[in-house]
């Protein structure tokens, strides 16, 4: 069964309040999403393996821990997931970035696939899928299915805001995928938007309608 980690660090909650505020413009919105993503990266990498290495300080030789060299891929779900990539890369600079293009049909709420480009060695990487919003869960579930079809095995999902419906859907569809999320909100409205949520993440990041 998936582990769902709610990352309710005070800094994240504080920044999330500004992100939700309808008066926050695109520039500040993008900066905040990037900063929150850096903080989420800290949590999602918490159980990465380390190995012992020997280094020499100016005083003496000593043994230290470093990351065990397993490779990482960050995979944003376009478009809104792009807003989380730079923050993640600040913390995991050696990661490769794959892209999955999906949009949610406004009427049916079903995800529609339009792009997929992944690192060739995706099967060997720890994959971190990023998307600010987990509403019905359909887009994230489809993205993860696309990844698995192309060989990905070790997958984590990082979102900023989700709904109880989305959490249920993704954990049932992909019980092997752990989920990291800053807030699980109240519900979905009749248009499939998260309440209270933040509105349309892609539109707010990129200034479109
Ligand atoms: O959980 P779901 O019900 O599938 O909804 C969530 C999806 O909706 C948004 O993308 P959107 O379709 O608005 O595309 P965009 O990022 O290009 O705006 C969001 O970024 C997720 O990908
Ligand atoms: O609330 C929502 C639901 C789906 N996509 C968004 O960007 N926001
Ligand atoms: Mg959108």
């Amino acid at each position: 069964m998936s582990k769902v980690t709610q990352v309710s660090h005070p800094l994240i909650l504080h920044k999330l309040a500004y992100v939700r505020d309808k008066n926050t413009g695109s520039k500040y919105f993008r900066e905040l999403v990037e900063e929150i993503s850096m903080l989420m990266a800290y949590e999602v990498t918490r159980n990465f393996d380390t190995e012992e290495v020997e280094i020499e300080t100016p005083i003496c030789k000593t043994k230290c821990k470093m990351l065990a060299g397993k490779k990482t891929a960050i995979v944003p779900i376009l478009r809104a997931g792009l807003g989380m990539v730079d923050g993640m890369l600040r913390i995991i600079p050696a990661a490769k970035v794959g892209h999955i293009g999906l949009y949610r049909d406004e009427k049916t709420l079903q995800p529609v696939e339009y792009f997929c480009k992944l690192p060739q060695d995706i099967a060997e990487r720890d994959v971190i899928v990023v998307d600010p919003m987990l509403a019905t869960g359909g887009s994230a579930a489809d993205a993860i299915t696309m990844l698995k079809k192309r060989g990905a095995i070790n997958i984590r999902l990082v979102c900023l805001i989700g709904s109880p419906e989305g959490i249920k859907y993704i954990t049932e569809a992909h019980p092997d995928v752990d989920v990291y999320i800053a807030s699980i909100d109240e519900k979905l409205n009749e248009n499939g938007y998260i309440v209270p949520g933040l509105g349309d993440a892609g539109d707010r990041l990129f200034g479109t309608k």
Side-chain angles (χ1 to χ4, degrees):
M1 191 62 193
S2 319
K3 195 169 104 199
V4 178
T5 303
Q6 210 169 324
V7 190
S8 48
H9 189 286
L11 284 174
I12 293 181
L13 298 182
H14 182 84
K15 290 174 191 295
L16 204 53
Y18 285 113
V19 166
R20 290 182 189 274
D21 189 334
K22 68 175 185 182
N23 295 314
T24 299
S26 285
K27 177 179 183 288
Y28 192 33
F29 188 94
R30 276 194 297 272
E31 288 169 4
L32 288 162
V33 169
E34 181 176 341
E35 288 168 9
I36 295 171
S37 303
M38 285 169 62
L39 297 166
M40 298 287 286
Y42 180 77
E43 193 59 38
V44 73
T45 53
R46 183 178 288 280
N47 55 9
F48 272 20
D49 292 334
T50 55
E51 64 190 4
E52 204 165 75
V53 293
E54 191 176 89
I55 59 119
E56 195 168 351
T57 75
I59 310 298
C60 65
K61 286 189 174 167
T62 185
K63 290 190 168 52
C64 297
K65 302 261 189 199
M66 291 188 84
L67 288 170
K70 182 121 191 268
K71 297 180 284 187
T72 304
I74 297 164
V75 180
I77 302 177
L78 307 180
R79 295 170 301 159
L82 286 174
M84 297 179 68
V85 172
D86 286 351
M88 288 271 160
L89 282 174
R90 294 274 290 276
I91 305 296
I92 320 167
K96 287 200 172 169
V97 181
H99 294 86
I100 290 184
L102 285 177
Y103 70 87
R104 200 171 70 145
D105 182 279
E106 276 177 21
K107 289 208 175 67
T108 64
L109 302 185
Q110 291 307 305
V112 181
E113 245 176 83
Y114 60 88
F115 190 72
C116 186
K117 180 87 178 170
L118 302 173
Q120 265 186 339
D121 56 356
I122 194 75
E124 293 152 36
R125 291 181 179 265
D126 280 320
V127 180
I128 304 176
V129 178
V130 294
D131 191 330
M133 310 306 280
L134 183 73
T136 64
S139 302
D142 257 36
I144 291 167
T145 301
M146 289 165 75
L147 278 158
K148 286 181 176 173
K149 274 191 192 150
R150 289 159 178 82
I153 298 162
N154 192 341
I155 306 171
R156 296 167 173 84
L157 172 67
V158 181
C159 301
L160 302 192
I161 298 179
S163 68
E165 296 90 329
I167 292 283
K168 183 169 187 299
Y169 189 78
I170 194 75
T171 53
E172 286 177 3
H174 295 290
D176 55 318
V177 173
D178 288 342
V179 180
Y180 296 78
I181 192 152
S183 172
I184 301 171
D185 280 9
E186 204 181 310
K187 60 176 183 185
L188 294 179
N189 70 13
E190 56 288 0
N191 301 317
Y193 276 83
I194 299 172
V195 180
L198 54 72
D200 189 302
D203 289 357
R204 294 195 63 189
L205 275 166
F206 300 114
T208 52
K209 269 270 172 270

